[in-house]
């Protein structure tokens, strides 16, 4: 069936089988591969995107469920001139990534976290990121980055 | 992992969902947030040939606080329960338990009606509704019926809900007496290995993952009503249970956890 959505401000329409997962649709039909597939079982959070402003794991959603939705992926975070989003900048400055695989999902989840709670404690950041796994075990600097981004805003 | 092929329809109302269920029989499945159904479909544990998407029925997303009863639309998401000030004031146990389900992303998609219909004995919210003595409202072709939460669950992932019925509302009493929720798991976002919900200082006590359905701990409730201390009442927590043995815990360890967590919960709630 025909599925229409706005992705990072641009309208996108494509055909999708009902069983097509949203993450596959974004990567293959929309052509944005910044959203990663990690565990594929809604545990790791690597595929986190924003749908109508809320954080969602796109491996556990059908593309047809997002028909008409407003989606932001990691590619939509930086400004048009390439200036990084403050959260991306904070990850860079605080060494909030090692291999980088979890990073798009971490940035999307962390941005949502600050939207709901602009000045979190360290414990609240750790709790707020419970849906995102980093297999490099780089949590310490990820938490530091999110706290730095919160302070900067 | 990709689900097996299926047809997809969007229901604009509960009535339309029920009529689509009637048309397609037991090959059809309702999908709300999809966070239990889609993983099962990806593993091919569920292979419905028709998925009816009820996730867009926004009329069923509400929290109405009355003087004695809180009525919640079946499609209200966990995140909405978690962040509702009205619910935190009228039924703090339910708001708190909602905040402990899965992780933030899951809570933005998962719905109260969905988790009850899924009837997983390891889920958090069914136990909370059970401890509170809640009521589940189901809409079918013949109209609406009310089912006491204690009568709702019949077996592992099974309930009294008919193939052509849909949960449309959940009602819990306004409950501001002593409450506690204790969940034992190994990792932050895991299901409970064992969990305990206590409402009204022990008037309602329910157990997660201690049998094929979420259970009321009747012996504990009776002991509390008879004036037993938290330790005395909690000693009875494993009575009448049939805890599973699996990778995470053997049955006798689960029984031990049930007693320890029940004592903690009763102490915190008294």
């Amino acid at each position: 069936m025909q599925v229409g959505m706005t992705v990072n401000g641009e309208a996108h329409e494509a055909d999708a089988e009902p069983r097509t997962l949203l993450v596959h649709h974004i990567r293959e039909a929309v052509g944005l591969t910044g959203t990663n597939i990690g565990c594929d079982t809604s545990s790791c959070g690597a595929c986190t995107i924003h749908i109508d402003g809320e954080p969602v794991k796109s491996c556990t959603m059908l593309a047809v469920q997002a028909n008409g939705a407003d989606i932001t992926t990691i590619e939509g975070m930086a400004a048009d001139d390439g200036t990084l989003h403050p959260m991306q900048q904070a990850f860079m400055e605080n060494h909030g990534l090692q291999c980088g695989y979890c990073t798009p999902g971490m940035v999307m989840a962390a941005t949502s976290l600050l939207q709901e709670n602009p000045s979190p404690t360290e414990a609240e950041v750790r709790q707020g990121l419970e849906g995102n796994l980093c297999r490099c075990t780089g949590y310490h600097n990820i938490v530091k980055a999110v706290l730095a981004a919160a302070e900067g805003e | 992992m990709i689900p097996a092929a299926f047809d997809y329809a969007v229901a604009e109302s509960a009535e339309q969902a029920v009529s689509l269920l009637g048309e397609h029989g037991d090959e059809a499945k309702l999908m709300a947030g999809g966070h239990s159904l889609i993983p099962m479909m990806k593993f091919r544990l569920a292979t419905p040939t028709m998925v009816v998407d009820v996730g867009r029925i926004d009329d069923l997303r509400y929290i109405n606080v009355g003087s004695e009863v809180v009525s919640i639309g079946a499609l209200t998401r966990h995140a909405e329960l978690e962040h509702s000030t009205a619910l935190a004031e009228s039924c703090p146990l339910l708001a708190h338990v909602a905040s402990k389900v899965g992780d933030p992303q899951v809570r933005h998609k998962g719905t109260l009606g969905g988790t009850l219909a899924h009837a997983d004995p390891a889920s958090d919210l069914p136990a909370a509704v059970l401890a509170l003595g809640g009521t589940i409202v189901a809409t079918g072709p013949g109209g609406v019926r009310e089912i006491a939460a204690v009568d709702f669950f019949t077996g592992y992932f099974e309930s009294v809900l008919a193939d052509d019925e849909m949960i449309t509302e959940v009602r819990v009493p306004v409950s501001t007496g002593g409450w506690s929720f204790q969940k034992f798991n190994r990792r932050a976002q895991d299901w409970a290995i064992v969990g305990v919900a206590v409402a009204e200082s022990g008037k309602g006590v329910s157990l997660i993952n201690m049998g094929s359905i979420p259970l009321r701990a009747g012996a504990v409730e009776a002991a509390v009503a008879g004036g037993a201390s938290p330790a005395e009442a909690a000693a009875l927590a494993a009575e009448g249970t049939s805890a599973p043995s699996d990778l995470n815990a053997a049955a006798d360890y689960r029984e031990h956890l049930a007693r320890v967590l029940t004592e903690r919960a009763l102490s915190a709630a008294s």
Side-chain angles (χ1 to χ4, degrees):
Chain A
M1 62 184 275
Q2 207 60 17
V3 177
M5 51 186 76
T6 305
V7 184
N8 302 330
E10 278 181 36
H12 191 276
E13 191 127 345
D15 195 45
E17 258 192 281
R19 62 172 167 169
T20 306
L21 300 170
L22 180 57
V23 69
H24 291 138
H25 189 76
I26 289 171
R27 289 176 59 87
E28 289 157 28
V30 184
L32 296 174
T33 54
T35 304
N36 286 333
I37 302 171
C39 69
D40 207 11
T41 56
S42 54
S43 300
C44 82
C47 64
T48 300
I49 59 170
H50 295 171
I51 298 187
D52 300 326
E54 293 179 340
V56 170
K57 292 178 177 179
S58 59
C59 80
T60 308
M61 213 175 141
L62 306 172
V64 289
Q65 277 179 288
N67 192 16
D70 188 4
I71 289 176
T72 307
T73 68
I74 189 69
E75 289 92 339
M77 297 302 276
D80 286 341
D81 66 359
T83 307
L84 293 179
H85 184 279
M87 187 64 74
Q88 291 173 307
Q89 188 68 31
F91 267 66
M92 196 176 87
E93 287 170 4
N94 290 278
H95 304 285
L97 58 145
Q98 291 183 47
C99 84
Y101 201 85
C102 73
T103 311
M106 283 286 182
V107 168
M108 300 312 282
T111 312
S112 293
L113 168 65
L114 292 196
Q115 266 164 14
E116 283 178 14
N117 181 2
S119 334
T121 61
E122 184 188 325
E124 285 168 341
V125 171
R126 288 182 186 275
Q127 185 109 44
L129 293 177
E130 67 185 337
N132 293 72
L133 304 180
C134 165
R135 291 298 78 172
C136 302
T137 68
Y139 296 109
H140 191 68
N141 285 346
I142 290 170
V143 173
K144 237 167 79 180
V146 179
L147 289 169
E151 228 161 78
E153 272 171 9
Chain B
M1 292 178 291
I2 315 276
F6 55 85
D7 291 324
Y8 172 85
V10 174
E12 308 284 352
S13 66
E15 290 69 26
Q16 197 191 349
V18 166
S19 107
L20 281 162
L21 287 177
E23 226 170 280
H24 295 275
D26 62 0
E27 292 301 310
K29 268 299 232 184
L30 294 184
M31 183 174 70
H35 271 47
S36 297
L37 182 59
I38 293 174
M40 289 182 79
M41 289 169 66
K42 287 168 78 173
F43 283 120
R44 310 269 172 132
L45 294 169
T47 52
T49 56
M50 165 58 90
V51 169
V52 178
D53 188 350
V54 293
R56 294 170 191 263
I57 308 177
D58 285 340
D59 292 355
L60 294 181
R61 279 171 76 177
Y62 56 82
I63 301 169
N64 292 336
V65 179
S67 57
E68 286 175 15
V69 174
V70 185
S71 305
I72 301 167
L75 288 160
T76 307
R77 296 172 184 177
H78 306 334
E80 290 162 345
L81 301 177
E82 172 185 0
H83 295 300
S84 162
T85 320
L87 190 64
E89 285 166 3
S90 57
C91 192
L93 171 65
L94 193 63
H96 175 78
V97 173
S99 78
K100 297 296 168 189
V101 177
D103 56 50
Q105 291 96 317
V106 169
R107 295 196 290 272
H108 276 103
K109 288 302 290 178
T111 66
L112 183 59
T115 188
L116 288 164
H118 189 55
D120 183 345
S123 283
D124 299 333
L125 282 162
V129 173
L130 199 56
L132 287 161
T135 302
I136 292 156
V137 181
T139 300
V144 174
R145 65 171 174 143
E146 296 176 13
I147 306 155
V150 71
D151 298 326
F152 184 76
F153 304 100
T154 54
Y156 199 58
F157 293 97
E158 285 181 358
S159 70
V160 296
L161 215 54
D163 286 339
D164 55 359
E165 273 184 317
M166 169 181 170
I167 297 177
T168 41
E169 189 174 85
V170 180
R171 295 180 195 147
V172 291
V174 168
S175 176
T176 53
W179 61 274
S180 178
F181 180 61
Q182 303 286 326
K183 178 176 178 177
F184 185 82
N185 56 10
R186 292 193 302 155
R187 295 169 302 191
Q189 63 187 183
D190 277 347
W191 276 270
I193 293 174
V194 173
V196 179
V198 167
E200 293 296 325
S201 310
K203 214 170 136 200
V205 180
S206 66
L207 298 167
I208 299 168
N209 226 349
M210 286 298 290
S212 59
I213 58 172
L215 293 171
R216 280 290 283 254
V220 177
E221 291 172 358
V224 171
S229 70
E232 289 162 347
L236 308 171
E239 263 188 33
T241 63
S242 51
S245 286
D246 59 26
L247 198 64
N248 287 313
D252 60 345
Y253 178 53
R254 278 202 163 85
E255 290 173 2
H256 167 75
L257 284 175
R259 288 187 287 266
V260 170
L261 297 175
T262 300
E263 183 175 348
R264 284 181 195 166
L266 288 174
S267 300
S270 60

